Amino acid sequence: MARLRVNARAPKFQGRLLQDTEQLWRYRVQEFWGEVIPYLGYVIQSGLGFVIAFVFIAGTALYASFLDQIPAGFPVRELGWMLLSPIVVYTTYRTFLQSADLGYLLRLEHRMNRYMKRSVRYSLMPRMVLLMAACLIYWPLYSRADEAPKPLFVLLAAFVVLKFVAAYGAWGERHMHDRRLKLACRIIRYAWSWGAAACWLWLDIGMAGLWTGLGGLIYIAAIWKLPKLAFPWEEHIALEQVHRNRIYTFLSGFVDLPTMNNRRFSRPWLHALGNRYAFQKKKAYRYLLVKSFVRSELLGIVLRLIVIGIILLWWTKDSIWSSLLLLLLMITIHAQLKALLQLHRHDVWLKLYPVANQDRSVAISGVYAQVLGLCVLLLLLPVIAGGLSIQVKGGIGLGAAAAYVLLCWQRKHAIERLISTEEEE
């Protein structure tokens, strides 16, 4: 694991930036990327860049070959619905606001309009590009497999408009103070977005435009009329911190970060996973590690990777390419689980209640092996349900088992090296 030494320094503050909020926004963006970019070199050195390039090349070849022999009755509309609807509905906004802004910028709230407009444009642009790229990738399959495909320009324009409506709803939800009202509006936004995407895939242009147009206007009017805060400082700051935590959680899988704030979730339905280690001195660190893992953002990342992997493996379950995809998913999950090494690594209580380094190493290796093993079993389910021969499925299973053993061995030695380095320091 790479380790960085960063000289601590006081935060830089420039009073002149308060005179121009748009210049302050540019300074905040440059400051954020100035913090993140140095770590990207370590991410590329880890091999992730090669994996992404390989997936792109292999995926392009597989997609091109699939277009030449699309099976009869292929659920092209269902696939487009599952692909495009989440991109339409999911919208986050980067404001780059910080906790100290409540003291320095609160008096400038009436001049923050230009700042927030830049944030909205900055946040929507990459999401619009992602949506259009997904439409362009989906279009060749849709135009060949669908009985009555809509023109590309019409499909692109329709989904871009749907994205704007969903983005307006997400922005309005952020300004709502009532939590129950915010939750209700979020459920309505998800239902409307998925329903509108289904209309444009299943109905003709006239009916789809009529239903989504009326529904969109009613939805926008409702969001506009509902009570909202003029400038929800706490909500902007909290959501910005959540976004930063996700980025640093991802980066911590590739580089030893100097600091990382962890977001905690209450998941009582998973308490039993850690409780079985309670009151056992040898497993004290494993108890804490499991409790922290099930409440952390890392569990959400792993679950999302499993869901995406199952969908992709189900799509390729009848092809030998599923074996390569399974290996890439295992490597990706393996890289993310590297964040387990950072949990409680620098806690003061380790000095007050000393835990033997051997026990720490065994605990981290054990939790890693259990989590990765469960992920591999879940990812193998679509392959087992596929149409490949028993011999091929057995070969894929043996290959997955061999890769699992190799990854566990590599991670165990990495943990031992890290702990030995800490002892020397």
Side-chain angles (χ1 to χ4, degrees), residues 259-279:
T259 59
M260 184 179 68
N261 296 320
N262 294 318
R263 188 186 181 196
R264 297 301 180 200
F265 299 87
S266 177
R267 293 173 177 140
W269 50 282
L270 292 175
H271 284 348
L273 296 178
N275 290 342
R276 57 179 176 163
Y277 302 116
F279 306 111

Side-chain angles (χ1 to χ4, degrees), residues 137-330:
I137 294 172
Y138 171 67
W139 169 253
L141 178 61
Y142 172 69
S143 61
R144 297 187 183 194
D146 195 86
E147 298 177 354
K150 296 176 180 63
L152 175 59
F153 177 77
V154 173
L155 197 68
L156 273 174
F159 276 94
V160 166
V161 173
L162 298 184
K163 181 65 177 180
F164 274 118
V165 175
Y168 177 81
W171 184 252
E173 292 167 15
R174 178 176 286 213
H175 289 70
M176 295 178 185
H177 178 69
D178 192 325
R179 296 292 179 181
R180 291 173 297 179
L181 180 61
K182 181 182 297 187
L183 177 61
C185 290
R186 183 172 302 168
I187 294 174
I188 294 173
R189 172 164 60 91
Y190 273 73
W192 180 86
S193 300
W194 283 76
C199 287
W200 280 99
L201 291 172
W202 269 275
L203 302 180
D204 59 79
I205 296 177
M207 292 300 297
L210 176 63
W211 285 109
T212 57
L214 288 176
L217 290 175
I218 295 173
Y219 175 68
I220 291 175
I223 294 295
W224 180 53
K225 284 293 186 181
L226 288 174
K228 295 184 290 293
L229 298 174
F231 201 102
W233 286 95
E234 292 84 0
E235 190 73 7
H236 285 320
I237 294 171
L239 293 178
E240 175 63 23
Q241 187 61 46
V242 168
H243 194 92
R244 291 175 67 92
N245 288 347
R246 289 175 179 172
I247 293 175
Y248 277 88
T249 300
F250 170 78
L251 293 174
S252 66
F254 306 93
V255 60
D256 184 7
L257 296 178
T259 59
M260 184 179 68
N261 296 320
N262 294 318
R263 188 186 181 196
R264 297 301 180 200
F265 299 87
S266 177
R267 293 173 177 140
W269 50 282
L270 292 175
H271 284 348
L273 296 178
N275 290 342
R276 57 179 176 163
Y277 302 116
F279 306 111
Q280 300 181 33
K281 184 177 180 180
K282 281 285 185 181
K283 298 181 179 179
Y285 194 77
R286 177 173 292 192
Y287 168 79
L288 181 64
L289 200 62
V290 173
K291 285 287 189 178
S292 300
F293 173 70
V294 299
R295 295 175 181 175
S296 67
E297 181 72 23
L298 180 60
L299 176 61
I301 294 175
V302 172
L303 290 178
R304 286 190 287 270
L305 286 173
I306 292 175
V307 172
I308 295 172
I310 290 176
I311 294 174
L312 294 176
L313 287 169
W314 183 264
W315 184 39
T316 61
K317 66 182 187 302
D318 298 327
S319 171
I320 194 63
W321 287 96
S322 59
S323 60
L324 178 61
L325 183 58
L326 176 61
L327 177 61
L328 294 177
L329 288 168
M330 289 178 62

Side-chain angles (χ1 to χ4, degrees), residues 365-421:
S365 301
V367 174
Y368 166 83
Q370 291 174 358
V371 175
L372 183 62
L374 181 59
C375 293
V376 173
L377 292 177
L378 292 175
L379 292 174
L380 279 172
L381 294 178
V383 178
I384 296 174
L388 298 173
S389 63
I390 300 297
Q391 294 80 3
V392 175
K393 291 180 181 179
I396 294 176
L398 290 175
Y404 169 76
V405 172
L406 181 62
L407 292 175
C408 288
W409 177 83
Q410 187 273 338
R411 182 49 47 86
K412 180 181 178 181
H413 282 270
I415 295 169
E416 292 175 351
R417 287 195 303 269
L418 176 64
I419 293 178
S420 64
T421 303

Side-chain angles (χ1 to χ4, degrees), residues 15-92:
R16 60 183 178 83
L17 295 177
L18 299 181
Q19 306 302 321
D20 187 351
T21 56
E22 193 168 2
Q23 185 180 358
L24 174 63
W25 182 89
R26 288 193 294 267
Y27 171 76
R28 289 283 175 84
V29 174
Q30 294 173 1
E31 184 183 38
F32 170 77
W33 285 109
E35 295 176 0
V36 172
I37 287 178
Y39 302 128
L40 297 182
Y42 293 94
V43 176
I44 296 174
Q45 292 174 15
S46 68
L48 182 62
F50 172 77
V51 171
I52 293 175
F54 186 80
V55 169
F56 176 78
I57 296 172
T60 302
L62 178 62
Y63 188 49
S65 63
F66 182 77
L67 291 176
D68 294 332
Q69 44 184 356
I70 301 175
F74 182 78
V76 63
R77 294 180 180 178
E78 289 80 358
L79 176 63
W81 189 54
M82 296 296 295
L83 172 67
L84 298 176
S85 297
I87 303 177
V88 170
V89 70
Y90 182 73
T91 303
T92 57

Side-chain angles (χ1 to χ4, degrees), residues 98-130:
Q98 304 170 7
S99 299
D101 293 337
L102 282 172
Y104 290 103
L105 298 181
L106 186 61
R107 61 187 177 86
L108 302 177
E109 180 178 315
H110 62 286
R111 294 167 49 187
M112 292 292 291
N113 287 338
R114 296 174 62 187
Y115 183 99
M116 300 311 296
K117 287 180 180 178
R118 290 295 301 268
S119 295
V120 170
R121 289 200 301 268
Y122 175 88
S123 303
L124 288 182
M125 185 177 299
R127 289 158 181 80
M128 287 296 177
V129 172
L130 175 62

